[in-house]
Amino acid sequence: MNKEIKALIKDFYEHDYILNEEMATALFLLQNLEKPLLLEGNPGVGKTMLAKTLALHLQTDLIRLQCYEGLDVSTTIYEWNYQKQLLHIKLFEQEKDKKILGDQIFGMDYILKRPLLKAISAKKPVVLLIDEIDRADEEFEAYLLELLSDFQISIPELGTIQAISKPMVVLTSNRTRELSDALRRRCLYHWVDFPSKTKEIDIIAKKLPQIDEHLATQVVTFIHNLRKASLHKPPGIAESLDWAKTLLLMNADNITDEIVRTTIGSVLKHKDDVEFVRNKTVQEFLYPID
């Protein structure tokens, strides 16, 4: 294994994020090839936290754009500061040369920077997290292509704005829709799966060092078998941690039917899923018959 990748795994562990070699290699390439990294996977597998931990690892800022339907230029790239422009016009209304006045009020000093423009305007490389890109419209992807390929943004009144320092771009997707080939071609790719049982136990032990190994193993076994069921929303790593914390607060030594009945709301977030679990016994999830 590359020594830099080993160092990456070690440092992420110190920041409470357990990387496997494949994911660490993807991050290594993100930094050295200067290409965006597209992370796909089920909700709750740690994609967003990966970007946050990368910013901690690099000791730089994280700029996050949370995607949703209807995103446009004014919410993602820039917007003119109309109040400041009007104030300038009033102060210099005697200016005879209107072209000079126009050039003055359509400059960078009169722009409100949104996440994408902030990222390429930063004096040192930042981590730009474009979170849940699959929630945005397909049209929004067209806005991104120039940034993802050339690290620049075009503003009609100003022309092309080149990145002062290239951001490390991480895009996440839960695959609620298929992303365009044009976007995928511009990115490195990594599929983030749910962790293995051993790795998830390690995650819980790292986050909650006071937990008993037996209880941590029960939590992970129960959760892993839940994920195999046909649920509306399978629990992610965050839910595993929440449940483990809950059981510690309840002073539980073992997972029992009563514990499940009273605490399952920290694991499952859909009524039908909760009813499904409550109609079964603990043994069916801890010792399932294949």
Side-chain angles (χ1 to χ4, degrees), residues 73 80-81 87 93 113 118 136 174 179 194 228 276-277:
V73 171
W80 289 108
N81 189 335
L87 180 60
E93 58 187 356
K113 296 177 183 178
K118 278 183 182 178
N174 295 331
L179 302 177
F194 285 116
K228 296 175 184 178
F276 169 76
V277 172

Side-chain angles (χ1 to χ4, degrees), residues 28-270:
F28 173 75
L29 295 176
L30 163 67
Q31 296 176 66
N32 289 276
L33 295 181
E34 295 185 334
K35 292 193 67 173
L37 173 62
L38 172 60
L39 300 174
E40 280 195 323
N42 293 311
V45 293
K47 303 185 294 297
T48 300
M49 186 55 67
L50 181 67
K52 291 179 178 179
T53 309
L54 177 62
L56 290 174
H57 162 72
L58 296 171
Q59 298 182 342
T60 190
D61 293 331
L62 173 79
I63 296 177
R64 179 178 181 177
L65 173 62
Q66 178 61 52
C67 296
Y68 56 87
E69 189 175 350
L71 277 178
D72 57 17
V73 171
S74 66
T75 52
T76 61
I77 303 178
Y78 75 101
E79 187 175 7
W80 289 108
N81 189 335
Y82 298 116
Q83 290 182 328
K84 191 174 180 180
Q85 287 175 321
L86 288 171
L87 180 60
H88 185 98
I89 291 170
K90 286 183 178 181
L91 289 173
F92 296 93
E93 58 187 356
Q94 301 304 319
E95 174 66 62
K96 293 181 179 180
D97 191 334
K98 301 304 179 187
K99 184 180 184 304
I100 292 176
L101 183 59
D103 290 343
Q104 289 173 340
I105 65 172
F106 286 104
M108 286 298 292
D109 289 341
Y110 294 85
I111 274 184
L112 297 172
K113 296 177 183 178
R114 303 309 185 201
L116 300 185
L117 186 56
K118 278 183 182 178
I120 69 167
S121 301
K123 292 183 180 179
K124 69 173 187 176
V126 299
V127 174
L128 172 61
L129 170 60
I130 303 175
D131 213 6
E132 297 184 323
I133 179 63
D134 52 317
R135 292 184 178 274
D137 301 320
E138 292 182 14
E139 290 79 5
F140 174 65
E141 290 186 32
Y143 292 141
L144 286 178
L145 297 182
E146 184 180 19
L147 171 67
L148 297 180
S149 57
D150 300 317
F151 295 98
Q152 64 183 33
I153 288 174
S154 295
I155 297 177
E157 296 87 349
L158 296 177
T160 300
I161 309 296
Q162 293 278 353
I164 295 175
S165 56
K166 293 180 180 179
M168 278 152 286
V169 184
V170 177
L171 303 95
T172 74
S173 169
N174 295 331
R175 298 198 70 183
T176 58
R177 70 171 177 86
E178 191 62 36
L179 302 177
S180 70
D181 290 340
L183 184 141
R184 289 180 179 278
R185 281 197 305 272
R186 287 162 171 79
C187 299
L188 301 167
Y189 179 83
H190 185 72
W191 172 263
V192 186
D193 209 346
F194 285 116
S196 66
K197 286 184 181 180
T198 301
K199 182 181 175 184
E200 195 157 0
I201 291 169
D202 289 342
I203 291 170
I204 291 176
K206 177 66 174 165
K207 294 280 188 178
L208 302 170
Q210 70 272 37
I211 196 169
D212 177 74
E213 183 180 352
H214 172 71
L215 184 60
T217 301
Q218 281 197 331
V219 168
V220 171
T221 301
F222 195 103
I223 294 284
H224 270 245
N225 287 317
L226 269 184
R227 289 173 186 154
K228 296 175 184 178
S230 299
L231 301 178
H232 290 275
K233 187 185 182 304
I237 300 171
E239 283 75 28
S240 294
L241 287 166
D242 284 345
W243 202 25
K245 291 176 187 176
T246 299
L247 297 180
L248 286 176
L249 288 171
M250 303 285 287
N251 296 316
D253 297 321
N254 291 284
I255 297 176
T256 64
D257 290 328
E258 178 64 16
I259 284 289
V260 171
R261 187 183 66 80
T262 55
T263 67
I264 198 63
S266 61
V267 180
L268 300 176
K269 310 301 169 64
H270 194 284

